[in-house]
Every structure is written in structure tokens, then in C-alpha cells.
Amino acid sequence: MVRFTFIDALFLIPVLFWPITQVVLAIQSLIENLKLSDNAKIILIGSTWGVDNHNGKELVFFATKFSLRGIAQSLREILREHLIGVSVLNLGYLASEYEIDKPTQDVLEQTEYSLIPLSDVIQAIHFILSTTKASCVKEILMPTMLDQNV
């Protein structure tokens, strides 16, 4: 692991700046179309590394994931009058190396239940999308059962 004190500012600035800026600009470009929807939702994919009291030491990764939650909180207030829901799905360690069509039980057994199958993520997204515009799912926190950092 690279020590934080040895990371050059020329590396840090774009790594912190671009992910945050790109999220804001992408959402900004979609706002007018979202207003036309009968039940618009914005789902931001965060990480358990961006929640309070996470024990990780990866400052840059943590900072960008935590900022995503701040972006979502502000967007909720900005878009409330249009009844556009803004959710953050904070995921733990994913079994992303497995294809989506691989049976969930196979993924669980092969990872010894240490990674979240993509089918669980899809179910969480379906839940958010299934809610009405009368409610807002603010956040879903989905760590693995074995994750002791959260």
C-alpha cells in the first residue's frame, strides 16, 4: 500500500476532481429528460467505503465515495419539487468476476459466501425502481456478511 504522505499532488488532484465532476455533469445533462418521466429515479452506485465509520485507510477512494453521498443529498433537495428520487446503493465486495447469468448458488459456493452476487444488486435496483414517486429510497447499505470494515 502506498503511504498517503508520498502521493504526489499532481496525481491526487485529477483522481479526486474527475469522478466527482463527471457524476455532477452527467446528472445535470439528464435533468430535463428526467422531469418528463412519470416516476424518475437516479440511482448512484456508491460503496461501503463511503459510509460513516468504515475502517478503510484508502483516502482517495474513500473521499470520492463519500462525496457521492453528499451529491445525492443535495440532488434530493434540488429535485424534490419534481418528485425525482435520488438513491445511493452502497455496495460491499462484489462477485463481479462472475457472469450475471451464472447461478447465484454457484457464485455463493465458489466465493464461500464472501462476495455479493450480482443478482443481489439487481434485486436492490429493482426494489428502488419499483417504488412510487411518493417515496424516496435514500440509501441502501449492502456490505457482505463477512465484511468487518463496516
Side-chain angles (χ1 to χ4, degrees), residues 9 26-28 30 33-34 54 65-66 82 87 97 106 113 120:
I27 293 169
Q28 186 181 41
L30 299 171
N33 283 333
L34 288 168
H54 190 279
K65 295 304 179 185
F66 201 81
H82 304 289
S87 303
E97 63 272 16
D106 291 351
Y113 296 83
D120 287 357

Side-chain angles (χ1 to χ4, degrees), residues 15-141:
V15 170
L16 287 169
F17 176 76
W18 285 113
I20 297 166
T21 303
Q22 292 303 319
V23 167
V24 171
L25 292 176
I27 293 169
Q28 186 181 41
S29 72
L30 299 171
I31 295 295
E32 292 307 313
N33 283 333
L34 288 168
K35 289 178 184 177
L36 300 174
S37 173
D38 289 334
N39 193 16
K41 309 283 186 204
I42 296 172
I43 302 173
L44 302 173
I45 304 299
S47 171
T48 56
W49 289 71
V51 298
D52 294 335
N53 302 315
H54 190 279
N55 296 326
K57 295 179 182 175
E58 289 75 6
L59 178 89
V60 174
F61 186 70
F62 180 82
T64 57
K65 295 304 179 185
F66 201 81
S67 69
L68 194 64
R69 293 176 67 217
I71 291 168
Q73 289 171 10
S74 291
L75 282 173
R76 274 187 215 107
E77 294 309 313
I78 292 167
L79 300 173
R80 180 184 304 275
E81 68 182 284
H82 304 289
L83 302 176
I84 297 174
V86 181
S87 303
V88 181
L89 182 51
N90 293 304
L91 303 172
Y93 300 109
L94 294 177
S96 55
E97 63 272 16
Y98 296 93
E99 297 295 326
I100 191 68
D101 58 354
K102 186 167 186 74
T104 301
Q105 192 58 41
D106 291 351
V107 173
L108 292 170
E109 289 170 5
Q110 290 174 17
T111 64
E112 298 178 346
Y113 296 83
S114 65
L115 299 175
I116 300 168
L118 295 177
S119 60
D120 287 357
V121 178
I122 299 299
Q123 289 299 321
I125 292 170
H126 282 296
F127 164 67
I128 294 169
L129 293 175
S130 72
T131 61
T132 69
K133 63 183 175 183
S135 63
C136 177
V137 179
K138 288 186 172 185
E139 289 191 63
I140 293 178
L141 178 58

